[in-house]
Amino acid sequence: QVQLVESGGGLVQTGGSLRLSCAASGRIFSLNYMAWYRQAPGKQRELVVGPTSGGSTNYADSVKGRFTISRDNAKNTVYLQMNSLKPEDTAVYYCNVRTSNDGVVIDNWGQGTQVTVSS
């Protein structure tokens, strides 16, 4: 069973920075399969960044140039560095990884970590 635990959220002023962590346990073939999503109140969950395919990582237009995903394979952890934060970045952030068992693809989610950006 894959378990994901997000941390690092909090309250920050506009223009500030946060680094989110997603610690994974269980069998994950590659951290390249990791992705970050976020969900603001009253909105659908949206893809922020990931997964990485063919050496290319796609970022949502709204965060491109401000957010960066990184990985520590030895620690089985992915990070989301968030700079130049804006109030519209306020959301619960979730990490995600897709795994398969007997050919069935499963989405694995953490519990989420709240990011609040104040004006």
Side-chain angles (χ1 to χ4, degrees):
Q1 181 181 350
V2 174
Q3 291 183 311
L4 305 173
V5 180
E6 301 96 335
S7 62
L11 175 64
V12 65
Q13 292 184 337
T14 297
S17 298
L18 286 172
R19 187 178 72 167
L20 307 183
S21 299
C22 176
S25 61
R27 178 56 180 165
I28 299 176
F29 183 75
S30 174
L31 294 185
N32 287 335
Y33 300 149
M34 290 285 202
W36 285 95
Y37 289 75
R38 68 185 181 186
Q39 187 168 23
K43 297 183 179 180
Q44 292 292 112
R45 190 170 299 185
E46 65 174 344
L47 178 64
V48 177
V49 58
T52 297
S53 179
S56 178
T57 305
N58 294 125
Y59 292 82
D61 289 340
S62 59
V63 307
K64 190 171 296 184
R66 301 187 298 118
F67 290 11
T68 305
I69 190 171
S70 62
R71 305 165 182 87
D72 187 334
N73 291 318
K75 301 295 184 182
N76 219 31
T77 300
V78 296
Y79 305 92
L80 184 66
Q81 180 66 47
M82 305 185 295
N83 298 326
S84 302
L85 284 162
K86 306 174 181 179
E88 51 264 44
D89 295 319
T90 296
V92 178
Y93 285 72
Y94 301 88
C95 61
N96 165 275
V97 64
R98 285 187 168 183
T99 58
S100 64
N101 192 358
D102 296 326
V104 178
V105 176
I106 300 173
D107 273 311
N108 302 273
W109 300 94
Q111 293 297 311
T113 185
Q114 175 72 234
V115 172
T116 303
V117 185
S118 63
S119 301

